[in-house]
Each structure stands twice: as C-alpha cells, then as structure tokens.
Amino acid sequence: MRRVEHIMGLPISLRIDSAFDADTGDDADPARRAAVAADRVFAWLREVDARFSPFIADSEVSRLGRGELEPHELSADLVEVLDLCEEYRVASGGAFQVRLPGRGLDPCAMVKGWAVQRAAELLLAEGVTTFCLNAGGDVVSAGRPWRVGVRHPEQADRLCAVLEITDGAVATSGRYERGDHILDGRTGRPATGLLSLTVVAPSLTEADATATAAFAMGADGIDWAAAREGCEVFAVDAERRVFRTAGFPVAA
C-alpha cells in the first residue's frame, strides 16, 4: 500500500509492505489493515499540525507564544517537545533555538521528526512490521533494508549517496529547498559553513534534531553530530568537501 498526503507544508508518503505481526490485530484482509493503519498515521500527523503549527492562530503553540497558556495548562505532548528542544539547545551550545527574537516560539525544527517518529511507532503498534515513512526527504523505516537517496546540495537531479536503512531513520538539513531558513541561535543569523548534513540514527526524532542543530553550528557541527551516540553523519561543507563517518550505511 502506498499513500501520499500534504501535511505540515510538505509531502508525506507512506509505503506499507504486506507484512504484519501475527500477534497484533485480527485475521482481517492485510490490505484493509494497511489502509486502517495509514488512516491513523495521517490523522495523527494532521492533528500535530493543527496543535503545534506556529502558523495557525489557535494552535497550542501559537497560544503559548502569545502568553495565553500557563505551564500547567500545556498538553503532555507539547511539554515533551519543549523538553526535547531545551535538551538540544543546551547540547548545541545555543545553536539549536526555537525562541528567536522577531520570530516568537517556533518548535517546527523538533516537531516534524518527533511527530513522524511517533507515527512510525503507531504503525508498529498496529502490527505493521515492514514500512517506509518519508516526510519531505526525512525517512523512518522498518522490516527490511530500504534504499534512501541523499540529494546533491547544489544539483537537484543528482545524489551524493544512496543509503540502505533497516529499522532506523535518516534526516538531512540544508539550504537547497528553503534557502537560509536554519538560523544559528547564537547569532540569530543564517547558519553558514555547511551546504548539507545528513544524520542516520535509531529514531527520526534524533536524526532530524541532530541534523538541524549540527547544521546551525556550521562546520563544527560535523564532529558534534558524529560524537552523538548512535549517529552516523554525511556532510558537505561550504568548500564542497565531503565528510563521512565510518559507519554511515552506504548501499553496496
């Protein structure tokens, strides 16, 4: 089963192979079970967008940003997201920042990876064992090796590398899709020093947040990301030099 929807400002695609955990669910037709699981995934992602988008006036994030909510009134999900944001702010020395002057509260850099990882966990809970969930190029997969391309940062029709991912996630940060949208929280200015940085990690929460924080740090972010437990890194710096950790899972 394959499905694509446009949510959170980007295309999100889901592919489910015909593989289910025999201990989960009933004996219903696999195609119907896959459709039900997909419905729940996309419903969850639409819910996240409605609740956490800073571009929706009545979202929980927008209301918090305007000071309309007290800390004790926040949902457990938003508390979790904000705690993760603080963890990465501290770990990156302030480069990863969701509260910048002139922009208000904007946790989008954390929300996407966190939400898509939760969607993957929902699939597993539904008994789906083999799937690939792709959110604008950031991917979480399970069940078998999946091939994932890393786009060339300057040539849209070329790849820098092709990965083989099984039961893990990959995320890339760069300026080629949205320009200088990643700011260095230490300066408030667009991040410099890198053209793109890709992280492979056990979860998309980790992969996406690490890639964003490392890109915001500039060239120093390569070693920082590579030193994080469970992370493998591929990066192209502003001088067009390529860096790759030994365990980065390039396909044969």
Side-chain angles (χ1 to χ4, degrees):
M1 190 222 70
R2 300 180 184 182
R3 187 183 299 181
V4 180
E5 294 194 18
H6 200 271
I7 305 172
M8 295 189 285
L10 48 89
I12 299 178
S13 65
L14 171 62
R15 174 175 168 178
I16 296 176
D17 281 4
S18 297
F20 289 86
D21 184 344
D23 295 330
T24 306
D26 53 30
D27 295 326
D29 175 63
R32 190 188 70 80
R33 289 182 62 189
V36 169
D39 287 344
R40 290 175 179 168
V41 161
F42 286 107
W44 158 250
L45 294 172
R46 287 191 295 270
E47 176 189 339
V48 168
D49 193 30
R51 291 170 57 196
F52 294 161
S53 173
F55 309 108
I56 297 175
D58 62 349
S59 73
E60 186 176 6
V61 163
S62 293
R63 294 177 63 208
L64 176 61
R66 294 194 298 267
E68 296 173 5
L69 295 175
E70 296 295 328
H72 69 274
E73 297 177 297
L74 303 183
S75 68
D77 286 340
L78 183 53
V79 170
E80 180 180 346
V81 167
L82 294 177
D83 285 348
L84 285 167
C85 291
E86 179 62 10
E87 175 186 330
Y88 278 85
R89 184 194 68 80
V90 172
S92 66
F96 183 96
Q97 180 62 262
V98 298
R99 295 179 184 270
L100 289 164
R103 292 182 63 168
L105 175 62
D106 182 357
C108 289
M110 180 62 67
V111 167
K112 182 182 75 169
W114 170 85
V116 175
Q117 180 61 39
R118 287 274 293 267
E121 292 163 5
L122 187 157
L123 287 169
L124 293 170
E126 290 290 320
V128 180
T129 62
T130 307
F131 63 85
C132 183
L133 184 55
N134 183 331
D138 294 342
V139 174
V140 57
S141 65
R144 68 167 175 82
W146 295 84
R147 291 203 164 192
V148 179
V150 178
R151 210 203 87 163
H152 192 290
E154 296 180 305
Q155 300 180 47
D157 60 345
R158 296 186 62 190
L159 299 176
C160 282
V162 177
L163 316 185
E164 195 165 79
I165 305 294
T166 302
D167 298 325
V170 56
T172 298
S173 287
R175 56 171 57 93
Y176 50 79
E177 289 286 354
R178 298 170 56 195
D180 291 323
H181 69 289
I182 299 177
L183 303 184
D184 182 343
R186 299 167 297 189
T187 65
R189 300 177 61 83
T192 60
L194 296 174
L195 296 182
S196 71
L197 186 140
T198 300
V199 174
V200 174
S203 79
L204 193 56
T205 305
E206 299 168 83
D208 197 20
T210 299
T212 302
F215 192 90
M217 295 172 73
D220 291 342
I222 300 173
D223 288 341
W224 175 83
R228 293 183 66 82
E229 184 176 357
C231 291
E232 300 291 345
V233 177
F234 180 97
V236 181
D237 72 8
E239 304 300 319
R240 294 165 181 79
R241 294 174 297 187
V242 175
F243 302 84
R244 188 177 78 189
T245 55
F248 195 73
V250 176

